[in-house]
Amino acid sequence: MAESTVIFWFSGTGNSYYVARRICDGLPGADLRPVVSRGEVKLLPDTHVILVAPVYSWAPPRAVQQFINRLPGRNVTRVTAVLTHGAAPGGAAALTAGQFRRAGMPNARVFTMRMVENYPPFGGAPKQEKIDKFLTAAETQLGIIRQAIAEGKHHPPSAGSRLLVIPSLLINALFRKTLPRSDKKFTVTDACNGCGTCVSVCPVNNIDLATGKPVWKGKCEQCFACFHWCPNRAILYGERSAKQDRYHHPAVKSLDIAGTAADGENE
């Protein structure tokens, strides 16, 4: 049986979705799927798995780490991961390769590429001039990664990433401890019209509408999709965020990533 390719993505502001879609465009016959919250992950035998996800506090998001453990490694012939990041990625590449190895999928190729930083607790998105600069540089890097994937070149994590594994584990563990209470900092202004965009773009089904306003349910990944995609800038994360610029990848629409967090099977 010929090898098939499935590209899984996890994205808040569309950065990782855009990268996944561009990789898919260069691989005829590849299947593009979102990382889902729960359920069995079905793969044909002899599948090349490509995972595209952001880096949160020097590791992939919690939901992505859980997803890796649910992959049927017996059906996977090889693994490639592309990790997008705003600030430094720390040891995320080596951590991800190690997690695939422990899940029965050794020799994962892991690439990292810088995208636009947009984390509200650290000031949110930069001004448009810097965004344009970052996106131009990202296109060059993405071209290199796409070619390497197409040619099947092996790309082990760098020595620097391996050296940062232990600090990354500690930093990410501290970050994950804050997640259950982090969404208590979200507030909604009177500009909210109950459109439901925040509900549809949340990748982990963490938001419901109650009396027409969003309510967060305590399983936030801090992707801040709700904050950045709100068409009325009605969602705040602390008082200072009111003045922050919002960001989503300019080539991605909210409908591209909406409704992908189904808690059923990933088919």
Side-chain angles (χ1 to χ4, degrees), residues 11 27 37 63 98 108 164 198 230 263:
S11 193
L27 297 173
S37 303
L164 289 172
C198 54
C230 177
D263 283 335

PDB file of all heavy atoms in Angstrom, residues 11 27 37 63 98 108 164 198 230 263:
ATOM      1  N   SER A  11      -4.641  25.442  16.098  1.00  0.00           N
ATOM      2  CA  SER A  11      -4.379  26.859  15.839  1.00  0.00           C
ATOM      3  C   SER A  11      -5.373  27.738  16.566  1.00  0.00           C
ATOM      4  O   SER A  11      -6.560  27.415  16.645  1.00  0.00           O
ATOM      5  CB  SER A  11      -4.440  27.127  14.328  1.00  0.00           C
ATOM      6  OG  SER A  11      -3.911  28.394  14.002  1.00  0.00           O
ATOM      7  N   LEU A  27       1.709  18.870  -1.150  1.00  0.00           N
ATOM      8  CA  LEU A  27       1.748  17.413  -1.058  1.00  0.00           C
ATOM      9  C   LEU A  27       0.456  16.849  -1.654  1.00  0.00           C
ATOM     10  O   LEU A  27      -0.551  16.715  -0.945  1.00  0.00           O
ATOM     11  CB  LEU A  27       1.897  16.967   0.399  1.00  0.00           C
ATOM     12  CG  LEU A  27       3.186  17.392   1.116  1.00  0.00           C
ATOM     13  CD1 LEU A  27       3.122  17.037   2.593  1.00  0.00           C
ATOM     14  CD2 LEU A  27       4.414  16.727   0.473  1.00  0.00           C
ATOM     15  N   SER A  37     -10.351  17.294  20.426  1.00  0.00           N
ATOM     16  CA  SER A  37     -10.203  17.191  21.865  1.00  0.00           C
ATOM     17  C   SER A  37     -10.208  15.759  22.374  1.00  0.00           C
ATOM     18  O   SER A  37      -9.487  15.417  23.297  1.00  0.00           O
ATOM     19  CB  SER A  37     -11.336  17.973  22.551  1.00  0.00           C
ATOM     20  OG  SER A  37     -11.337  19.307  22.133  1.00  0.00           O
ATOM     21  N   ALA A  63      -3.448  20.161  24.839  1.00  0.00           N
ATOM     22  CA  ALA A  63      -4.324  19.348  23.991  1.00  0.00           C
ATOM     23  C   ALA A  63      -3.548  18.623  22.904  1.00  0.00           C
ATOM     24  O   ALA A  63      -3.897  17.498  22.517  1.00  0.00           O
ATOM     25  CB  ALA A  63      -5.408  20.225  23.358  1.00  0.00           C
ATOM     26  N   GLY A  98      10.642  13.620  21.634  1.00  0.00           N
ATOM     27  CA  GLY A  98      10.643  12.631  22.706  1.00  0.00           C
ATOM     28  C   GLY A  98       9.265  12.080  22.979  1.00  0.00           C
ATOM     29  O   GLY A  98       9.106  10.881  23.248  1.00  0.00           O
ATOM     30  N   ALA A 108      11.190  11.265  14.853  1.00  0.00           N
ATOM     31  CA  ALA A 108      10.377  12.361  14.344  1.00  0.00           C
ATOM     32  C   ALA A 108      11.268  13.507  13.882  1.00  0.00           C
ATOM     33  O   ALA A 108      12.238  13.874  14.549  1.00  0.00           O
ATOM     34  CB  ALA A 108       9.427  12.857  15.434  1.00  0.00           C
ATOM     35  N   LEU A 164      17.782  22.290  26.380  1.00  0.00           N
ATOM     36  CA  LEU A 164      16.742  23.035  27.074  1.00  0.00           C
ATOM     37  C   LEU A 164      15.550  22.173  27.477  1.00  0.00           C
ATOM     38  O   LEU A 164      14.518  22.710  27.907  1.00  0.00           O
ATOM     39  CB  LEU A 164      16.255  24.184  26.184  1.00  0.00           C
ATOM     40  CG  LEU A 164      17.245  25.340  26.013  1.00  0.00           C
ATOM     41  CD1 LEU A 164      16.737  26.314  24.963  1.00  0.00           C
ATOM     42  CD2 LEU A 164      17.476  26.063  27.337  1.00  0.00           C
ATOM     43  N   CYS A 198     -16.487  33.603  19.151  1.00  0.00           N
ATOM     44  CA  CYS A 198     -15.579  33.070  20.169  1.00  0.00           C
ATOM     45  C   CYS A 198     -15.834  31.590  20.429  1.00  0.00           C
ATOM     46  O   CYS A 198     -14.895  30.807  20.637  1.00  0.00           O
ATOM     47  CB  CYS A 198     -15.708  33.867  21.458  1.00  0.00           C
ATOM     48  SG  CYS A 198     -17.397  33.992  22.103  1.00  0.00           S
ATOM     49  N   CYS A 230     -12.612  38.095  17.950  1.00  0.00           N
ATOM     50  CA  CYS A 230     -13.865  38.801  18.248  1.00  0.00           C
ATOM     51  C   CYS A 230     -14.012  40.000  17.315  1.00  0.00           C
ATOM     52  O   CYS A 230     -13.177  40.915  17.331  1.00  0.00           O
ATOM     53  CB  CYS A 230     -13.886  39.274  19.702  1.00  0.00           C
ATOM     54  SG  CYS A 230     -15.372  40.239  20.104  1.00  0.00           S
ATOM     55  N   ASP A 263     -15.919  17.005  20.021  1.00  0.00           N
ATOM     56  CA  ASP A 263     -15.483  16.030  21.004  1.00  0.00           C
ATOM     57  C   ASP A 263     -15.761  14.605  20.581  1.00  0.00           C
ATOM     58  O   ASP A 263     -15.656  13.671  21.372  1.00  0.00           O
ATOM     59  CB  ASP A 263     -16.160  16.295  22.363  1.00  0.00           C
ATOM     60  CG  ASP A 263     -15.522  17.466  23.079  1.00  0.00           C
ATOM     61  OD1 ASP A 263     -14.345  17.759  22.810  1.00  0.00           O
ATOM     62  OD2 ASP A 263     -16.210  18.068  23.888  1.00  0.00           O
TER      63      ASP A 263
END
